[in-house]
Amino acid sequence: MKVVLIGVGQAGGKIAQALAQFDYDRGFEAVQGAFAVNTARADLQNLDIDTMLIGQDRVKGHGVGGDNELGAEIMQAEATEVMDELDGRVTSQADAVFVVAGLGGGTGSGGAPMLARELKRVYTMPVYGLAVLPGRDEGAIYQANAGRSLKTFTREADSVLVIDNDAWKTSDESIEEGFAAINDRIAERVGLLLAAGEIVEGVGESVVDSSEIINTLKNGGIASLGYASALADEDAGENINAITATARKALLTGTSLPQAVEADKALLVIAGHPDRIARKGVERARKWLEEETGSLEVRGGDFPLSSERIAALVLLGGVERSQRVQEFMDRAREASKQQDEPQESAEDAFQNDELDDLM
Ligand code: GDP
């Protein structure tokens, strides 16, 4: 699937860049362009992709702190300039645009949903969100920001692929090392999903079409991505169990949104050397996925790659009713209450903001 990535805020820019780099290093050519927008000059200076500083008159290049309302206001006020800058970057070859952001902060949290709305007004291709939720250890303001932003982002974008910052980290990393490692994992996993819908050179076939990703995300709402890999035997016949076990791991322990298993739609991609992919294993894994997710629409396909490993990618569409999302929204609502205790109207605003629609 050919995409254009637009990172908003610090995390958004870093993740857009990491994804573009992964795609470039592997020669997939799924990422057609990557661009970063931010209110903080210093964050943009660390990036190699093209960038745009917004809100200079309001915050003088210093960022909005954790103020996501200010982030949203600035994006709204400068929407025309941002869209002008994107004109020509969002090419007609692109199958979709991804707006990438961490939802716990200010610029991405407030700005990404606003930008998605603008993009949808102008372009006919799907506009997806790639959104990072704050980890459990991050403070109340991050949780509250992310709760509101997720709700708005889900309404404005065609679908939001959510990554919980606690999901793909390993325990022995510091926060900074942790972010870099998580970004690499996001880049690899989302990068493989996007590349799966592309023709791979030397193989001459594309068994997963970009329309299958688009159809999996068609009903909107929240999406998640699961990933796992394992060494594969040279003989496909020996890999039936390896494939089913890898698919199970992708859904149950390798997912970007833990404990979100029930889904409207799903796509199972088995990546690996064509000689090592056991058809029977793929069929069983798909059947298992149908039962586990309760979805009547499970798509599947191979992604031919020259590798000794086999990987499973599980894209779920419509997971907003899952336990995990509900728990997060409860946490965000609770955080918002605490944060806004002195000004009772803010909590009402949060409630009235149709937060419950998500569930
Ligand atoms: P913004 O620049 O105001 O949009 O805010 P940031 O992007 O700095 O932070 C927003 C949220 O994104 C934080 O609460 C973290 O959860 C997360 N975050 C920040 N940097 C990174 C990063 O490099 N990788 C990941 N995965 N998450 C990040």
Side-chain angles (χ1 to χ4, degrees), residues 169-338:
K169 72 171 188 198
T170 55
S171 51
D172 52 347
E173 289 158 342
S174 72
I175 290 188
E176 276 309 306
E177 286 169 351
F179 279 160
I182 293 168
N183 295 354
D184 286 346
R185 283 172 209 134
I186 295 173
E188 182 186 12
R189 295 163 188 193
V190 177
L192 277 177
L193 174 73
L194 301 175
E198 289 300 296
I199 310 266
V200 183
E201 216 172 312
V203 178
E205 59 178 317
S206 168
V207 257
V208 184
D209 193 72
S210 57
S211 68
E212 296 181 270
I213 299 174
I214 290 171
N215 282 328
T216 304
L217 301 176
K218 198 165 210 116
N219 288 358
I222 295 176
S224 70
L225 181 66
Y227 173 90
S229 77
L231 261 181
D233 197 278
E234 279 177 38
D235 174 6
E238 298 295 317
N239 290 330
I240 297 174
N241 289 341
I243 288 175
T244 52
T246 309
R248 288 174 78 99
K249 264 175 73 181
L251 180 71
L252 300 177
T253 59
T255 168
S256 67
L257 202 53
Q259 283 122 37
V261 171
E262 237 177 89
D264 275 351
K265 297 173 198 272
L267 171 67
L268 172 67
V269 179
I270 301 293
H273 197 286
D275 294 347
R276 298 185 185 214
I277 297 179
R279 292 265 53 88
K280 205 176 223 166
V282 178
E283 277 154 32
R284 279 187 196 165
R286 200 164 144 178
K287 194 116 213 95
W288 175 82
L289 195 57
E290 274 173 16
E291 285 161 17
E292 204 70 12
T293 58
S295 167
L296 301 173
E297 236 185 289
V298 177
R299 296 177 165 78
D302 300 352
F303 178 19
L305 274 178
S306 57
S307 167
E308 293 178 349
R309 301 182 73 83
I310 277 185
L313 284 159
V314 176
L315 176 68
L316 299 183
V319 296
E320 52 279 357
R321 280 173 304 280
S322 68
Q323 186 192 336
R324 180 67 187 86
V325 175
Q326 295 203 25
E327 273 171 17
F328 171 73
M329 290 316 257
D330 288 345
R331 187 166 95 200
R333 194 180 286 110
E334 198 47 47
S336 182
K337 250 192 236 173
Q338 282 171 16

